[in-house]
């Protein structure tokens, strides 16, 4: 039976590739895609999510708009990485598929309420505002969650938006704290993993070489957002962060990490949004997350290319 997931996302080119991977994978049933404000404001992430579903040839996918700002602080965005639309790169037509009327958070609550315990996986590719709001307003749904798999945080790589914090956690640390304290199984794809999943030239050419619309778009998105990371890190390509979350559902064997305690810094101005990960197990704080540290990058890109080829 396919694994039921809800994708919570702020597309973003790497979010877009993650959504494509999910929609291309028979092991996964996407119950809905919920947009959140993050890389760009909500209006754009909600539009981009629909652009991507249409590109995948799946206009029946339900797309919802969730929260338009973090729980307690003003929104921080990342146009410097993703461009002003969030999906800069190739020209994309405006979506024609409808946006669902229901608020994204109420979709999450209603969907989980209708499912048995331990049955739905939440895949979080952006700030955790929607999921935290759903848990706060309807604590009864928390037990319905099978697993939360999220892209966020860092230990060895520390930060990308501040010296101490990764973007998704930094944008809404209070939301992240609620999620990390939820008591449900959490799997984290931090920068420590995603900075190893680099879009090197041969990998991007493999996307382009598919000779399909999807392959071309993914290659062109990559061409666009790479420029920023290559310059910043001097790396051979850009990290393809968010698809790691979906790849983990299909091929968990590609990833390795540790079951450890992870707390979120919400106080200090200097380190706000830091994921304080007890990688070396130097405290007695109970483990609450599987914090990944490594990925078989070639295996990951082969899987991605093979699945994108089916769209
Ligand atoms: C995360 O931030 C966003 O810019 C990306 O989409 C990814 O989810 C990486 O820090
Ligand atoms: Ca994202």
């Amino acid at each position: 039976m396919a694994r039921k997931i809800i994708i919570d996302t702020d597309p973003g080119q790497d979010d877009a590739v993650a959504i494509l991977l999910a929609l291309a994978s028979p092991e996964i049933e996407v119950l809905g895609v919920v947009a959140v404000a993050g890389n760009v404001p909500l209006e754009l992430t909600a539009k981009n999510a629909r652009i991507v579903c249409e590109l995948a040839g799946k206009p029946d996918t339900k797309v919802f708009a969730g929260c338009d700002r973090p729980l307690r602080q003003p929104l921080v965005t990342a146009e410097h990485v993703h461009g002003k639309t969030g999906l800069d790169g190739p020209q994309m037509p405006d979506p024609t598929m409808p946006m669902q009327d229901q608020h994204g958070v109420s979709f999450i609550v209603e969907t989980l309420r209708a499912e048995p315990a331990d049955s739905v996986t939440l895949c979080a590719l952006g700030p955790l505002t929607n999921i935290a709001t759903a848990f706060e307003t309807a604590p009864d749904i928390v037990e319905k969650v099978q697993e939360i798999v999220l892209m966020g945080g860092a230990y060895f790589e520390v930060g990308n938006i501040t010296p101490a914090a990764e973007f998704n956690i930094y944008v809404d640390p209070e939301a992240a704290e609620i999620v990390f304290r939820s008591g449900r199984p959490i799997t984290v794809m931090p920068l420590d993993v995603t900075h190893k999943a680099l879009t090197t030239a041969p990998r991007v050419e493999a996307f382009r070489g598919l000779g399909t619309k999807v392959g071309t778009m993914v290659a062109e998105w990559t061409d666009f957002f790479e420029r920023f990371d290559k310059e910043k890190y001097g790396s051979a390509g850009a990290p393809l962060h968010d698809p790691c979350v979906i790849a983990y559902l299909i091929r968990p064997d590609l990833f390795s990490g540790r079951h450890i305690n992870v707390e979120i810094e919400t106080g200090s101005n200097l380190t706000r949004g830091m994921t304080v990960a007890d990688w070396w197990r130097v405290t007695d704080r109970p483990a609450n997350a599987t914090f990944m540290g490594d990925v078989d990058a070639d295996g990951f890109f082969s899987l991605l290319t093979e699945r994108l080829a089916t769209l």
Side-chain angles (χ1 to χ4, degrees):
M1 206 173 69
R3 185 165 176 174
K4 291 180 183 173
I5 72 166
I6 294 173
I7 301 179
D8 195 85
T9 177
D10 63 337
Q13 294 90 348
D14 62 318
D15 302 71
V17 179
I19 295 169
L20 292 174
L21 177 59
L23 293 177
S25 296
E27 301 88 342
I28 293 172
E29 182 189 351
V30 180
L31 302 179
V33 175
V34 184
V36 67
N39 285 322
V40 284
L42 181 67
E43 205 186 316
L44 288 171
T45 59
K47 175 179 171 187
N48 293 345
R50 286 178 295 142
I51 290 177
V52 176
C53 293
E54 282 188 0
L55 173 65
K58 313 259 177 175
D60 295 337
T61 310
K62 290 187 187 156
V63 176
F64 302 82
C67 299
D68 65 357
R69 75 195 71 166
L71 298 185
R72 296 240 193 96
Q73 62 186 29
L75 178 66
V76 175
T77 53
E79 285 88 356
H80 58 293
V81 184
H82 302 277
K84 74 175 184 332
T85 67
L87 269 189
D88 275 20
Q91 278 295 325
M92 305 287 296
D94 279 352
T96 57
M97 65 180 274
M99 177 79 128
Q100 301 295 311
D101 291 333
Q102 190 178 15
H103 190 282
V105 171
S106 103
F107 164 73
I108 294 173
V109 170
E110 244 180 47
T111 305
L112 288 172
R113 279 196 175 141
E115 295 287 337
D118 273 333
S119 63
V120 178
T121 295
L122 301 178
C123 295
L125 313 178
L128 290 157
T129 320
N130 290 335
I131 295 176
T133 306
F135 285 1
E136 289 284 276
T137 52
D140 57 294
I141 65 171
V142 175
E143 62 162 29
K144 307 298 184 82
V145 175
Q146 181 186 350
E147 186 176 358
I148 301 155
V149 187
L150 66 95
M151 190 282 135
Y155 180 68
F156 295 97
E157 294 285 307
V158 199
N160 62 355
I161 184 78
T162 74
E166 179 281 330
F167 180 78
N168 289 340
I169 306 294
Y170 178 75
V171 172
D172 200 343
E174 281 77 19
E177 184 172 53
I178 290 167
V179 171
F180 276 85
R181 292 192 173 167
S182 67
R184 298 313 297 161
I186 298 178
T187 298
V188 185
M189 294 294 163
L191 297 179
D192 308 330
V193 168
T194 66
H195 281 182
K196 292 173 184 149
L198 295 178
T199 57
T200 59
R203 290 169 179 164
V204 178
E205 287 324 303
F207 296 144
R208 216 182 308 274
L210 292 175
T212 60
K213 193 166 166 200
V214 167
T216 308
M217 288 297 166
V218 170
E220 289 184 15
W221 281 331
T222 312
D223 290 342
F224 178 84
F225 75 78
E226 264 194 356
R227 88 221 176 282
F228 172 80
D229 288 292
K230 277 174 153 171
E231 199 176 300
K232 178 173 172 190
Y233 298 110
S235 55
L240 209 44
H241 306 281
D242 295 338
C244 291
V245 167
I246 306 297
Y248 167 77
L249 302 181
I250 307 164
R251 289 279 312 275
D253 59 298
L254 293 173
F255 301 88
S256 59
R258 294 184 178 191
H259 189 55
I260 56 169
N261 176 268
V262 181
E263 303 287 336
I264 310 297
E265 175 61 57
T266 56
S268 152
N269 276 338
L270 200 56
T271 57
R272 197 168 149 72
M274 185 172 195
T275 44
V276 181
D278 190 4
W279 184 262
W280 300 113
R281 300 195 175 105
V282 293
T283 73
D284 294 331
R285 294 195 284 261
N288 59 343
T290 300
F291 200 83
M292 293 301 180
D294 211 351
V295 55
D296 168 357
D298 284 332
F300 166 73
F301 277 93
S302 304
L303 171 71
L304 189 52
T305 311
E306 168 204 306
R307 292 301 168 92
L308 294 179
T310 67
L311 288 175

